Amino acid sequence: MFQKKAIYPLAILAIVSLSFSVIAATLSDVLKKGEELTANGKFDEAVKLYSQALEGTKDKGEKEKWQKEIAEIYFTKLQNYASASEVYADLAELYPKSKDAALYCYRLGVSYEQLADFVKAGEAYQKVIMQYPKKKGYPAEIESLASDGIDRCFKRNVKDNVALVNGKPITRLEFEDEIANIPGPYRSQYQTEEGKEKLLDYLIERNLLLNEAERQNLAGDYEAIKRLADARMKILINFLLERERGKATVPEAEITKYYQEHLKEYTTPEQVRTREIVVKTEKEAQDLLKQLSKKGAAPFETLAVKKSIAPTAKNGGDMGLFSREQRSKEITDIIFALKKGTVSRVVPLEPKFAIFKLEDKTKREASGCWILLNTKEEAEKLLKEITAANFDSLAKKNSVDSETKEKGGNLGKFSLADKPKELRQVIALLKKGEISKSFKIYTQYALYRLEERKAQTVKALEQVKPQIQGTLLRQKQKEAQDNFISNLKSKADIKKFLKPEEEKPPTPVEEKKE
């Protein structure tokens, strides 16, 4: 117990030499001085200061405070786990009802684990879970971390070892965990006998190096402490921000809205497959056009190979699939107006001339029925009673579209390019036979039933949903992180002193005194 000990290890010598008088000092004075010593890397002096304060008070709350500060330095700053375990053991025993009691037990477990006393470490972790459950208000993270600690200690205590390094085991369970933690693409090379041997050699070397670093007390080296503190800071900040980002979610409605607003990104434009013959003069082009028009003429591709001077000649003039956006307007206006299998007129391409043959064109067609109504209320009311079976009869009875009303709302087969954006968006979301929700089109509202969609050029929502969800989730995570940081700033008392304050001019009274 702490009361039976005068002072903890580093505080035994030269306490009286401290110029700061703890007995006369207030709690805040000691804390301020201790923080200054710690900030300057004078950890031994800070421990001495807190130890003297501990010996000089009878207040139970203050005693806990000073022991906690001493334990924090041993554990976090010095990584002196032997001394940290003594202090945390006292704290856990003396203050079982403290708001930090679960933390004391957890840190005790970590200290024992670092000292390779896995039995005691497991007992400490077990106490966190059994004695300080979540229902008593202790942080859930402590319980989760303690549970992980129990699992680690169990593995270290299992006698099925793959190696002993100066008497300390590397268990088979630990070894298998190391393999499991290797990224997928590289894991297979460590699952062969040769790979396992290589990994085991690495783990042995790692243990030897760590043990030697501890033997040389490098954890107490100021530069090592600084680096460990930096690493700890980065890990904790990253962990905190990861947790905040993890709270972000993407509602289904937002995915659908994003899809509709960015429909163009998921639409494959109308494409054509075309052949060309390019020659130097208009006369050559006109002569070729006459040859192609004669009965029994050589195929277009044969003439392209023989006569064309374009790079496509060797492929029979094949230009491949392309959309309007991929070629100049002067030729796409002509090519897209052609019917399948027909040949264009001579097209001037300064300083050359060309003729084109349309091999194929992707179709962007759909067919279906709709009911057009004057108000949203009418559309919503009708949606509640409509089915695939009664759609036609309800269209005849309710639709205000005179052209399709008597045909049960049948729009027939139509080109998607000829229809309004609102209807194209609805069609993209539907499966065959499905009825849409009500949607606004011009000044009216409609319900639409998809019959067929040919050569679909718009990727369905389900196809691109993971991609959209990932995009929106990243946005939400950034917003969550930014809002969290902004909230912290708004609650904090922040003063900046980057620029020194300008000296104020003396007041008239001060000038008079001078």
Side-chain angles (χ1 to χ4, degrees):
M1 291 292 294
F2 179 76
Q3 289 108 327
K4 295 179 182 178
K5 302 171 188 174
I7 301 168
Y8 286 115
L10 287 173
I12 293 175
L13 301 174
I15 290 177
V16 292
S17 66
L18 289 171
S19 59
F20 187 83
S21 174
V22 179
I23 297 171
T26 64
L27 181 73
S28 60
D29 290 334
V30 177
L31 278 174
K32 184 178 179 182
K33 182 64 177 178
E35 286 170 2
E36 287 176 6
L37 291 169
T38 303
N40 291 318
K42 298 179 179 179
F43 305 120
D44 295 1
E45 290 186 35
V47 170
K48 294 170 188 176
L49 177 70
Y50 293 140
S51 296
Q52 189 175 2
L54 178 62
E55 290 295 304
T57 183
K58 293 182 180 179
D59 182 273
K60 191 174 180 180
E62 285 191 25
K63 280 182 175 291
E64 182 184 357
K65 174 65 181 172
W66 302 132
Q67 283 180 272
K68 184 179 174 182
E69 292 294 336
I70 293 167
E72 178 73 14
I73 292 174
Y74 282 141
F75 186 89
T76 306
K77 305 298 182 183
L78 295 172
Q79 282 82 47
N80 183 341
Y81 298 110
S83 296
S85 66
E86 290 184 29
V87 191
Y88 281 125
D90 274 353
L91 283 164
E93 187 175 346
L94 289 169
Y95 311 106
K97 295 183 179 180
S98 167
K99 64 182 180 65
D100 292 318
L103 177 64
Y104 300 152
C105 283
Y106 173 72
R107 289 250 175 118
L108 179 60
V110 174
S111 298
Y112 282 141
E113 193 175 353
Q114 291 294 326
L115 295 169
D117 194 337
F118 303 114
V119 174
K120 285 186 178 179
E123 289 171 355
Y125 290 139
Q126 185 73 22
K127 189 175 180 180
V128 173
I129 295 173
M130 300 301 292
Q131 195 164 324
Y132 306 108
K134 280 185 282 188
K135 65 182 180 182
K136 288 191 175 181
Y138 293 101
E141 292 83 358
I142 293 291
E143 185 173 344
S144 175
L145 291 169
S147 179
D148 291 342
I150 291 172
D151 186 50
R152 286 195 307 273
C153 291
F154 168 75
K155 289 174 181 177
R156 297 302 294 268
N157 280 316
V158 172
K159 300 306 178 185
D160 184 9
N161 302 323
V162 290
L164 288 172
V165 183
N166 293 330
K168 291 184 179 180
I170 298 175
T171 70
R172 191 169 301 280
L173 286 171
E174 285 180 294
F175 184 74
E176 289 171 357
D177 275 352
E178 288 285 346
I179 293 177
N181 290 331
I182 296 170
Y186 308 102
R187 191 178 303 141
S188 60
Q189 62 183 292
Y190 292 102
Q191 291 174 325
T192 63
E193 288 305 314
E194 184 181 352
K196 288 180 179 180
E197 192 68 37
K198 184 178 178 181
L199 177 62
L200 182 58
D201 286 341
Y202 162 74
L203 294 179
I204 290 170
E205 287 176 10
R206 188 176 72 179
N207 280 20
L208 286 170
L209 290 168
L210 178 61
N211 292 339
E212 181 60 20
E214 289 173 346
R215 189 189 70 77
Q216 294 185 26
N217 194 29
L218 295 185
D221 182 272
Y222 180 69
E223 185 61 32
I225 290 168
K226 221 167 85 173
R227 291 189 195 179
L228 286 167
D230 286 344
R232 178 178 180 273
M233 174 186 69
K234 289 172 185 174
I235 290 167
L236 288 176
I237 290 173
N238 287 337
F239 185 76
L240 173 66
L241 293 178
E242 280 174 17
R243 192 170 64 173
E244 291 303 316
R245 289 194 294 266
K247 295 176 183 177
T249 57
V250 182
E252 288 290 324
E254 288 191 28
I255 295 175
T256 303
K257 182 183 177 186
Y258 184 94
Y259 173 74
Q260 291 175 336
E261 289 175 351
H262 297 78
L263 200 61
K264 191 173 181 181
E265 295 176 22
Y266 310 114
T267 303
T268 303
E270 186 178 17
Q271 293 180 313
V272 290
R273 180 176 288 279
T274 311
R275 292 184 187 274
E276 65 178 350
I277 300 175
V278 181
V279 291
K280 290 181 178 180
T281 67
E282 185 177 6
K283 185 178 182 307
E284 287 180 275
Q286 293 290 358
D287 288 344
L288 286 168
L289 196 57
K290 287 178 185 177
Q291 286 185 50
L292 289 166
S293 64
K294 291 178 181 178
K295 191 175 182 180
F300 191 99
E301 52 267 38
T302 302
L303 288 175
V305 172
K306 289 181 178 180
K307 303 292 186 178
S308 182
I309 60 173
T312 56
K314 61 183 179 181
N315 297 322
D318 188 1
M319 300 170 72
L321 273 174
F322 59 88
S323 63
R324 286 181 180 272
E325 293 77 17
Q326 292 173 306
R327 301 280 174 163
S328 64
K329 190 175 186 302
E330 61 183 333
I331 67 169
T332 54
D333 284 350
I334 293 168
I335 292 171
F336 277 79
L338 293 173
K339 291 182 180 179
K340 184 177 177 180
T342 61
V343 178
S344 75
R345 60 177 173 81
V346 173
V347 181
L349 301 173
E350 295 298 335
K352 301 167 188 173
F353 295 84
I355 51 177
F356 302 98
K357 180 185 177 184
L358 182 65
E359 294 285 332
D360 200 7
K361 183 188 289 186
T362 58
K363 292 181 180 180
R364 303 172 63 194
E365 295 178 335
S367 61
C369 307
W370 76 352
I371 301 174
L372 199 62
L373 301 157
N374 288 322
T375 68
K376 185 177 182 181
E377 289 72 22
E378 290 177 302
E380 293 291 340
K381 182 180 177 183
L382 197 60
L383 186 61
K384 292 177 181 177
E385 57 181 289
I386 204 164
T387 64
N390 65 14
F391 193 98
D392 293 356
S393 60
L394 288 176
K396 290 177 181 179
K397 182 180 178 182
N398 297 283
S399 182
V400 296
D401 181 13
S402 57
E403 292 185 14
T404 63
K405 180 182 175 81
E406 295 306 318
K407 296 184 287 186
N410 191 351
L411 290 165
K413 187 181 289 184
F414 54 85
S415 169
L416 287 171
D418 297 334
K419 295 300 177 183
K421 175 184 174 184
E422 293 81 3
L423 181 57
R424 295 202 305 270
Q425 288 178 337
V426 168
I427 290 173
L429 291 168
L430 295 176
K431 295 176 182 178
K432 186 176 179 179
E434 271 190 327
I435 298 170
S436 73
K437 295 179 181 178
S438 65
F439 61 97
K440 190 173 183 180
I441 183 161
Y442 302 123
T443 60
Q444 296 169 305
Y445 290 83
L447 303 173
Y448 180 85
R449 184 184 70 196
L450 179 67
E451 295 295 332
E452 190 176 13
R453 182 172 48 215
K454 283 191 175 180
Q456 184 180 353
T457 55
V458 181
K459 290 182 180 178
L461 175 59
E462 289 306 311
Q463 288 178 273
V464 295
K465 186 176 179 179
Q467 177 186 341
I468 295 173
Q469 192 170 27
T471 299
L472 292 178
L473 184 59
R474 285 189 291 274
Q475 291 175 5
K476 294 275 187 183
Q477 287 174 337
K478 187 177 186 307
E479 286 172 16
Q481 177 176 311
D482 291 346
N483 291 338
F484 178 68
I485 294 171
S486 296
N487 188 44
L488 288 177
K489 285 182 176 179
S490 68
K491 292 179 180 178
D493 179 18
I494 299 171
K495 295 182 177 67
K496 294 183 179 180
F497 305 104
L498 193 60
K499 294 181 180 179
E501 291 186 17
E502 295 181 6
E503 291 186 12
K504 294 180 180 178
T507 60
V509 176
E510 290 172 337
E511 288 177 351
K512 189 175 180 182
K513 284 181 180 179
E514 288 177 3

